[in-house]
Amino acid sequence: MEQLEKILGAGSRTDDMVQILDPQGFVHEDPQYSEHIAALSAEDVRAMYRDMVLTRAFDAEATALQRKGELGLWAPCVGQEAAQIGSAHALAPRDFVFPSYRELGVALVRGLDLRQTLPIFRGVRHGGWDPKAHNFGLYTLVIGAHALHAVGYAMGVQRDGDVGTGDPERDRAVVAYFGDGATSQGDSNEALVFAASNNAPVVFFVQNNHWAISVPTSTQSRVPLVHRGGGFGIPSVRVDGNDVLASYAVTRVALERARAGGGPTFVEAVTYRIGAHTTSDDPTRYRDRAEEDLWRAKDPIARLRSHLERRRLADEAFFTAVDDDATALAESARAYCHSLSGGPHEEMFDHVYTAPHPLVAEERAALAAYEAGFADADEEAR
């Protein structure tokens, strides 16, 4: 283990798990990462708490909307808020994010109106937002595919000369978020090959929520997932994904390294999916309640609230205001969802390629002719 870390450099922490804020809300010093936490203001930490509460409230409302038939599907992220919010707060505006389909908290921190995540799950749009507006890509439903997209984008950033200049207004990095299940996919492993070979400025942020649908992580990998990065020569770190402060610090260091030209980092954020994989899943069929209760006791939001209260960084008025904002967000999501309707079917052809393409034009014309046939039938019926 020590030999591997010497080969990979000081960026690796594969022998232990970085934890700064324990489940009871007490802060512990870490020789490598505590200095980055010390730089956070009370306002910064309160913002993280607020973002986690808002994320959970929206997530719960979207789940309820699916149960009522208003959405076709939803992928809950309850329990994973700290990993997402902490890492997202480490991002710089010019960094680009490639999410999977569960990164609700990251979307919130990047400034996306969370309601824009609903159209794709209601089935009225293929996306829902402009990726360039917040440097936050569209959700990827093909497991692991976006890891390759992220590395390709990072290689483009590298070739644009936006790495290692020392200018914070120019240097940028890329983050690919995916789950433990995606580490078994060929695409994500190929992405690690390309990232290592090209020293690409990309951070692979793996949210190990312990279950790839019904398959436990122990079945997918005989060793901790953090060792996947080392196998490709990529510095790797294992972090407590229910600790928002540690998630922030680890990601910040990885991003700074990437922007400076230090290459990729593999981060395994150890967390837990409290809810179902998606609303089409029934987790009671493959795991017991005792396991869920064990992880509920490590709740990331309760953990940070205990810290804020103990350090007197927030009062009851703050917590009440956050809860009120969360309720308002949920109500807004409900109203927005009910207002959604599909646009013309030909929209699906608008953004397939950046320039006109003969095959797309042919398919667009075929759809138009097909739909026009229904209009002719209606006329004949009259």
Side-chain angles (χ1 to χ4, degrees):
M1 195 80 67
E2 292 180 1
Q3 182 179 10
L4 175 62
E5 292 190 5
K6 286 180 181 178
I7 294 172
L8 297 178
S12 280
R13 283 277 289 273
T14 58
D15 60 336
D16 62 357
M17 183 170 68
V18 179
Q19 183 187 80
I20 293 173
L21 192 65
D22 69 21
Q24 289 71 45
F26 289 99
V27 172
H28 300 271
E29 291 297 312
D30 184 281
Q32 188 175 356
Y33 293 104
S34 285
E35 63 177 292
H36 300 287
I37 301 305
L40 292 172
S41 67
E43 184 178 354
D44 292 331
V45 181
R46 286 193 295 267
M48 291 181 182
Y49 177 85
R50 182 177 185 274
D51 288 340
M52 285 200 289
V53 173
L54 292 183
T55 298
R56 182 168 293 186
F58 189 96
D59 187 45
E61 182 59 35
T63 300
L65 285 167
Q66 194 283 328
R67 298 304 188 198
K68 295 173 183 175
E70 299 293 343
L71 298 176
L73 187 72
W74 185 254
C77 65
V78 59
Q80 300 180 218
E81 295 91 353
Q84 295 190 14
I85 298 301
S87 61
H89 271 263
L91 291 161
R94 280 175 55 78
D95 295 334
F96 201 97
V97 174
F98 284 83
S100 58
Y101 48 77
R102 204 187 300 274
E103 278 66 56
L104 197 64
V106 183
L108 177 66
V109 177
R110 294 305 276 174
L112 185 72
D113 181 344
L114 291 186
R115 298 177 301 176
Q116 290 184 289
T117 61
L118 297 177
I120 188 171
F121 292 104
R122 192 169 170 87
V124 297
R125 289 289 188 279
H126 284 174
W129 61 88
D130 177 4
K132 294 182 181 178
H134 304 286
N135 280 353
F136 183 81
L138 295 176
Y139 275 178
T140 305
L141 302 184
V142 179
I143 307 299
H146 62 295
L148 279 171
H149 306 161
V151 174
Y153 192 100
M155 290 167 62
V157 167
Q158 190 179 52
R159 283 152 178 74
D160 285 341
D162 293 344
V163 177
T165 69
D167 181 359
E169 298 299 318
R170 180 173 179 179
D171 291 340
R172 51 197 176 123
V174 178
V175 181
Y177 286 89
F178 50 94
D180 48 295
T183 63
S184 296
Q185 292 290 105
D187 283 357
S188 61
N189 286 274
E190 290 169 12
L192 291 168
V193 171
F194 275 90
S197 299
N198 290 276
N199 206 44
V202 59
V203 175
F204 299 98
F205 194 91
V206 180
Q207 296 171 81
N208 178 4
N209 64 23
H210 284 75
W211 291 95
I213 309 183
S214 60
V215 179
T217 306
S218 57
T219 298
Q220 293 188 78
S221 179
R222 298 183 65 176
V223 298
L225 293 180
V226 67
H227 293 298
R228 292 289 180 91
F232 294 90
I234 297 175
S236 306
V237 184
R238 198 176 201 215
V239 63
D240 182 348
N242 281 19
D243 175 356
V244 69
L245 299 183
S247 296
Y248 164 81
V250 165
T251 309
R252 175 176 170 174
V253 170
L255 285 168
E256 288 178 350
R257 180 173 175 273
R259 295 187 203 110
T265 301
F266 184 99
V267 176
E268 179 195 1
V270 181
T271 182
Y272 192 79
R273 168 170 57 76
I274 294 294
H277 172 71
T278 69
T279 47
S280 64
D281 170 45
D282 178 9
T284 64
R285 298 183 63 183
Y286 53 81
R287 69 186 191 194
D288 57 41
R289 183 60 182 267
E291 178 180 305
E292 294 180 12
D293 289 343
L294 177 68
W295 281 92
R296 288 182 194 279
K298 302 177 182 180
D299 184 271
I301 296 178
R303 185 185 301 201
L304 186 58
R305 176 164 181 157
S306 294
H307 170 69
L308 289 170
E309 291 175 332
R310 181 173 291 111
R311 292 289 184 89
R312 296 184 180 179
L313 300 177
D315 56 19
E316 196 59 38
F318 166 77
F319 294 117
T320 299
V322 169
D323 289 341
D324 290 344
D325 289 345
T327 299
L329 178 62
E331 292 174 350
S332 173
R334 194 179 315 130
Y336 182 83
C337 182
H338 292 161
S339 73
L340 288 173
S341 60
H345 296 159
E346 64 182 29
E347 278 186 343
M348 73 176 78
F349 302 107
D350 289 346
H351 303 291
V352 179
Y353 294 99
T354 57
H357 191 285
L359 178 58
V360 174
E362 179 183 336
E363 292 177 344
R364 184 194 295 269
L367 176 65
Y370 175 73
E371 293 184 333
F374 289 99
D376 294 341
D378 288 342
E379 288 296 323
E380 292 175 4
R382 292 194 187 97

